[in-house]
Amino acid sequence: MRYKLAIFDLDGTILNTLEDLADATNYVMDRLGMPKRTIEEVRRFVGNGIHRLLELAVVEGTTDEGVDRAFDIFNEYYREHCADKTQPYDGIMDVLKALRENGVLTAVVSNKADYGVQSLCEDYFPGMFDFAVGEKQGIRRKPYPDSVLAVLNRFGVEKKDAVYIGDSEVDFATAKNAGLDVLMVGWGFRSAESLMELGAEKIMEKPAQILDQIL
C-alpha cells in the first residue's frame, strides 16, 4: 500500500455538483436582476469557494456590498437545494469502499461552504469518510494548505504517506503547497489538457485507476 491517507476534493472529484451550483447561481442572478450564467461559465467560475464564484458571476462593476448580498442569497438557497441534481460520479463509491476495506483513511477537503460539505457527505457517502471539512471562517481556503495539513495532524500521518485527489488547478496547487503527492482526475470541472499543462504527470480517466495508485 503506497498511502495511508487519501484526501479528496468534493466538487468535480467525487460529486458532480455543477447543475445545482448553476441553479443556485442563476437564482441569485434572477433575484438581483442580472443576466443568467451558462453551465460552462459556472464550470469555469467554481473552485475557489462560493464568494469567488459570485464575484465572477455578477455583472462587472458590482460593489463589494452587492457581492456580499449575492453570497447571502446563494447560501440561503443552496442550503435547501444543494442535492437536487447532484450525483456521485460512477464508480466513486466502489473506490471509497475498497480504500476503507484496505485500511486507508479517507477525508474530504473542499472550498465548498462547510455546511454543504457536511450535508452532501452525509447524504451521499454515509460512513465513507473519517473526516470532512469545507470553507469556514478563520481557515484559509485552498490552495492554502491549512486544511490539508490539519487533516494530517488529526490522524498523525506523515506527508509521504498521504495523497490528495482533485480535478482542478486549485487542487493541484493545494497538494503542492502541502507537500503531498497528487492524483488528478479527468472527469471533473477541468479538461485533461488543462491539467496536463499544470504539470500533472498522469490523469485518472476512471475512478478505479485511483486504487491502482494507492493500494
Side-chain angles (χ1 to χ4, degrees):
M1 189 167 65
R2 300 182 192 180
Y3 301 105
K4 298 177 181 178
L5 169 63
I7 305 175
F8 290 83
D9 172 51
L10 187 74
D11 300 71
T13 300
I14 60 174
L15 279 180
N16 186 351
T17 57
L18 188 58
E19 285 192 74
D20 283 328
L21 289 168
D23 287 350
T25 299
N26 284 327
Y27 175 80
V28 175
M29 298 301 101
D30 273 344
R31 285 279 301 272
L32 298 180
M34 296 181 182
K36 288 187 176 182
R37 293 295 190 169
T38 66
I39 284 280
E40 290 308 310
E41 286 176 320
V42 174
R43 183 193 299 273
R44 294 197 304 271
F45 295 163
V46 298
N48 286 285
I50 292 171
H51 202 276
R52 181 57 179 162
L53 162 62
L54 294 166
E55 288 176 0
L56 296 170
V58 297
V59 297
E60 187 175 356
T62 300
T63 64
D64 291 344
E65 292 77 9
V67 176
D68 289 343
R69 173 61 177 150
F71 180 72
D72 289 341
I73 295 171
F74 184 103
N75 282 312
E76 180 183 352
Y77 178 89
Y78 195 64
R79 282 180 188 275
E80 302 299 326
H81 299 278
C82 65
D84 289 356
K85 300 175 182 176
T86 288
Q87 291 293 331
Y89 288 102
D90 289 343
I92 284 293
M93 183 62 82
D94 292 336
V95 168
L96 295 174
K97 288 179 179 178
L99 291 175
R100 297 184 67 78
E101 287 169 359
N102 282 275
V104 178
L105 294 166
T106 54
V108 168
V109 171
S110 172
N111 274 346
K112 180 185 287 295
D114 190 63
Y115 71 79
V117 172
Q118 303 305 327
S119 174
L120 291 170
C121 285
E122 183 177 339
D123 287 348
Y124 290 103
F125 306 107
M128 288 293 103
F129 290 106
D130 297 290
F131 185 68
V133 64
E135 183 182 12
K136 42 187 179 179
Q137 194 170 10
I139 300 177
R140 296 185 300 178
R141 65 174 181 261
K142 301 183 302 183
Y144 287 105
D146 302 35
S147 293
V148 170
L149 297 178
V151 173
L152 295 179
N153 291 334
R154 181 184 182 91
F155 294 111
V157 174
E158 296 183 30
K159 293 180 180 181
K160 66 180 179 62
D161 295 322
V163 63
Y164 191 85
I165 302 113
D167 73 302
S168 74
E169 67 282 356
V170 175
D171 299 317
F172 188 81
T174 299
K176 295 304 179 184
N177 290 340
L180 265 61
D181 290 343
V182 61
L183 299 177
M184 301 304 297
V185 307
W187 56 78
F189 295 169
R190 302 291 188 268
S191 69
E193 291 76 14
S194 67
L195 298 177
M196 293 293 285
E197 289 173 2
L198 294 174
E201 297 179 1
K202 185 177 182 181
I203 311 298
M204 308 292 104
E205 297 298 340
K206 296 180 180 179
Q209 292 177 294
I210 293 173
L211 297 177
D212 297 332
Q213 301 298 316
I214 295 179
L215 300 181

